[in-house]
């Protein structure tokens, strides 16, 4: 081979790798751009969907409140209708008494039939009484029967008016309930539409983000559980040492009152019972307006958890935040209720180590999550 041919061959061999290197970076860069774009789109959708879920959460609390109003009003309507039925029975009994008197007057030929019959057949008995001419010829017994009939008739009219008003109010509250239901469903429909727009790659990015968050929450929750177990053991040891010291020194143990006492004794047991209940519900679906046992919304779960501990708390977050003792963030303890957003539309049950158990949002399940994932509002210790 000539020197010129060798040089040409060398140039050709060297040029091929260089050409491949020139082609590869654009392909890699393009893939990186697509991955970055998918991740950015997933983040944008996540932010908007989270906002829609928050708005749905607010509407859910309004729905829960309206549902309680409807239930209370339905009970009032049922009572009013029962009162109408009872009053109507009394009117009928009084009418039968007057009918018996009319029949007796007819048989005795006392001339009382026309008045009694007119009373029974009148479209408006009260207008009949208003004439006054009949009252002068009645015996005291007849007068009592007529007074009794008139009284029951008026009571029945009043009860019917009350029932009508109660039914009207029930209809209005049912309309309010439907409005809140529509508001929740509108937000959820918009969130689902956004999620449906994600490409497979974008959805994969979103799923991976949520998977990592859940893994981290589960890890920290396990650390919190172990910390609670260590605290129980240490507390038991401290109590045993204190008892031995008290018996040895024959003196009463001096109680100290910290600025914000940590829960102990009976309250600590109740908090553990509430947490144990919530842990037993892990994995069950979030369903707005649900109070268990197969699904919950956020306040439905916390209400059920503390009910399992023997403490009845209100249904709605806006009421739950006003029970018990408000606790500073740096003094929260397991079992405390943690509230989020300025509108107090979400609540979780604190379990320690910056973690809570909560029912997060539609399409999700009851799970552990960091209390830093949403805007803090306040904490309350029930009991």
């Amino acid at each position: 081979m000539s020197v010129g041919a060798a040089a040409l061959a060398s140039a050709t061999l060297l040029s091929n790798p260089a050409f491949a290197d020139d082609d590869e970076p654009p392909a890699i860069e393009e893939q990186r751009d697509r991955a970055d774009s998918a991740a950015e789109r997933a983040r944008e959708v996540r932010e908007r969907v989270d906002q829609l879920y928050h708005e749905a959460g607010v509407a859910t609390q309004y729905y829960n409140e309206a549902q309680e109003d409807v239930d209370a009003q339905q009970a009032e309507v049922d009572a009013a209708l029962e009162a109408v039925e009872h009053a109507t029975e009394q009117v009928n009994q009084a009418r039968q008494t007057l009918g018996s008197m009319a029949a007796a007057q007819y048989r005795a030929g006392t001339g009382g039939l026309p008045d009694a019959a007119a009373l029974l057949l009148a479209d408006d008995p009260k207008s009949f009484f208003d004439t006054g001419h009949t009252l002068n010829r009645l015996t005291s017994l007849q007068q009592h029967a007529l007074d009794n009939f008139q009284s029951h008739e008026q009571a029945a009219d009043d009860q019917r008016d009350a029932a009508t008003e109660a039914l009207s109010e029930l209809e209005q509250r049912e309309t309010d309930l439907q409005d809140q239901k529509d508001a929740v469903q509108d937000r959820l429909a918009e969130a689902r539409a956004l999620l449906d727009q994600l490409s497979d790659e974008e959805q994969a990015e979103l799923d991976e983000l949520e998977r990592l968050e859940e893994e981290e929450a589960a890890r920290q929750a396990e650390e919190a559980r172990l910390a609670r177990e260590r605290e129980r053991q240490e507390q038991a040891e401290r109590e045993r040492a204190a008892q031995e010291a008290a018996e040895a020194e024959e003196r009463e143990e001096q109680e100290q009152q910290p600025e914000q006492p940590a829960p102990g004794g009976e309250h600590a047991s109740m908090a553990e019972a509430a947490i144990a209940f919530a842990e037993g519900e892990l994995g069950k679906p979030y369903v707005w307006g649900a109070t268990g046992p197969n699904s919950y919304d956020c306040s439905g779960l916390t209400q059920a958890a503390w009910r399992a501990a023997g403490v009845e708390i209100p249904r709605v977050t806006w009421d739950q935040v006003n029970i018990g003792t408000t606790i500073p963030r740096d003094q929260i303890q397991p079992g405390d209720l943690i509230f989020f957003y300025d509108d107090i539309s979400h609540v979780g049950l604190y379990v320690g180590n910056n973690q809570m158990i909560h029912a997060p949002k539609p399409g999700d399940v009851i799970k552990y999550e960091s209390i830093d994932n949403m805007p803090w509002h306040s904490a309350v210790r029930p009991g």
Side-chain angles (χ1 to χ4, degrees):
M1 179 183 294
S2 68
V3 174
L8 179 60
S10 298
T12 302
L13 291 172
L14 291 173
S15 64
N16 287 339
F19 181 77
D21 288 344
D22 288 342
D23 281 350
E24 199 167 294
I28 294 173
E29 197 59 39
E30 183 180 346
Q31 179 58 35
R32 286 173 178 164
D33 289 343
R34 283 199 299 268
D36 289 344
S37 177
E40 180 61 26
R41 169 68 172 157
R43 283 192 294 270
E44 290 174 357
V45 170
R46 167 75 176 269
E47 289 176 3
R48 178 56 183 154
V49 167
D50 283 349
Q51 175 61 30
L52 288 169
Y53 282 149
H54 171 220
E55 292 172 6
V58 174
T60 296
Q61 293 306 314
Y62 279 117
Y63 172 87
N64 292 339
E65 194 171 51
Q67 182 66 68
E68 286 198 318
D69 288 344
V70 166
D71 292 343
Q73 188 62 27
Q74 183 63 62
E76 185 174 332
V77 166
D78 292 343
L81 292 176
E82 185 176 348
V84 168
E85 183 179 359
H86 178 68
T88 301
E89 289 177 357
Q90 290 185 315
V91 169
N92 291 336
Q93 290 174 1
R95 192 183 296 274
Q96 289 174 359
T97 299
L98 289 176
S100 298
M101 287 184 175
Q105 287 177 330
Y106 176 73
R107 288 193 299 270
T110 59
L113 176 60
D115 292 332
L119 172 63
L120 292 174
L121 297 175
D123 291 334
D124 183 6
K126 287 190 286 296
S127 66
F128 178 84
F129 290 136
D130 290 341
T131 61
H133 71 281
T134 305
L135 300 178
N136 296 326
R137 299 197 301 273
L138 296 175
T139 66
S140 60
L141 181 60
Q142 290 171 326
Q143 180 66 60
H144 175 73
L146 288 172
D147 289 345
N148 188 49
F149 176 84
Q150 188 176 25
S151 173
H152 287 312
E153 182 72 5
Q154 182 61 53
D157 288 344
D158 292 343
Q159 294 293 352
R160 278 191 288 270
D161 290 343
T164 299
E165 182 178 351
L167 281 167
S168 177
E169 188 170 349
L170 176 61
E171 290 175 357
Q172 180 57 52
R173 292 185 177 181
E174 287 177 335
T175 298
D176 293 341
L177 181 66
Q178 185 60 48
D179 289 344
Q180 298 308 324
K181 182 177 181 179
D182 292 343
V184 175
Q185 292 177 330
D186 287 346
R187 302 305 189 281
L188 298 183
E190 186 175 348
R192 284 192 295 270
L194 273 175
L195 292 171
D196 288 342
Q197 293 173 11
L198 290 174
S199 68
D200 291 344
E201 190 174 8
E202 291 165 347
Q203 184 63 56
E205 289 285 344
L206 185 59
D207 291 344
E208 178 64 10
L209 175 60
E210 292 184 347
R211 184 187 69 79
L212 292 173
E213 289 177 345
E214 289 178 5
E215 282 186 356
E216 176 63 15
R219 183 187 66 78
Q220 294 193 21
E222 177 61 14
E223 291 179 0
R225 187 191 67 79
L226 293 174
R228 293 199 308 273
E229 182 61 31
R230 286 194 300 271
E231 175 60 27
R232 282 196 296 268
Q233 293 174 356
E234 291 171 1
Q235 179 64 24
E237 182 62 31
R238 286 194 295 269
E239 290 176 356
R240 184 165 55 252
Q243 180 64 28
E244 291 173 355
E247 292 174 355
E249 298 175 10
E250 295 182 352
R251 60 179 178 80
E252 294 183 357
E253 180 181 0
Q254 297 297 318
E255 295 183 354
Q256 297 181 349
Q257 299 295 330
E259 177 184 350
Q260 197 57 255
E266 183 180 359
H267 189 282
S269 298
M270 291 190 298
E272 284 297 323
I275 293 172
F277 177 89
E279 288 176 335
E281 307 306 285
L282 287 168
K284 290 187 177 180
Y286 173 103
V287 174
W288 63 272
T291 57
N294 299 319
S295 58
Y296 300 85
D297 62 19
C298 65
S299 55
L301 175 64
T302 51
Q303 182 188 49
W306 270 100
R307 179 181 292 140
V311 178
E312 192 65 38
I313 66 175
R315 170 70 177 95
V316 182
T317 54
W318 305 317
D319 295 327
Q320 290 184 5
V321 76
N322 292 319
I323 55 100
T325 304
T326 300
I327 305 297
R329 180 164 183 163
D330 61 356
Q331 296 184 38
I332 56 177
Q333 295 289 333
D336 292 346
L337 301 179
I338 311 298
F339 298 90
F340 301 93
Y341 299 103
D342 291 341
D343 52 24
I344 322 174
S345 58
H346 194 75
V347 62
L349 184 70
Y350 188 63
V351 297
N353 200 30
N354 227 40
Q355 298 293 300
M356 65 179 171
I357 296 175
H358 72 145
K361 59 189 177 183
D364 211 336
V365 297
I366 296 171
K367 62 184 181 183
Y368 295 108
E369 195 161 10
S370 169
I371 64 174
D372 295 326
N373 285 359
M374 288 176 284
W376 172 275
H377 180 273
S378 59
V380 165
R381 185 165 297 155

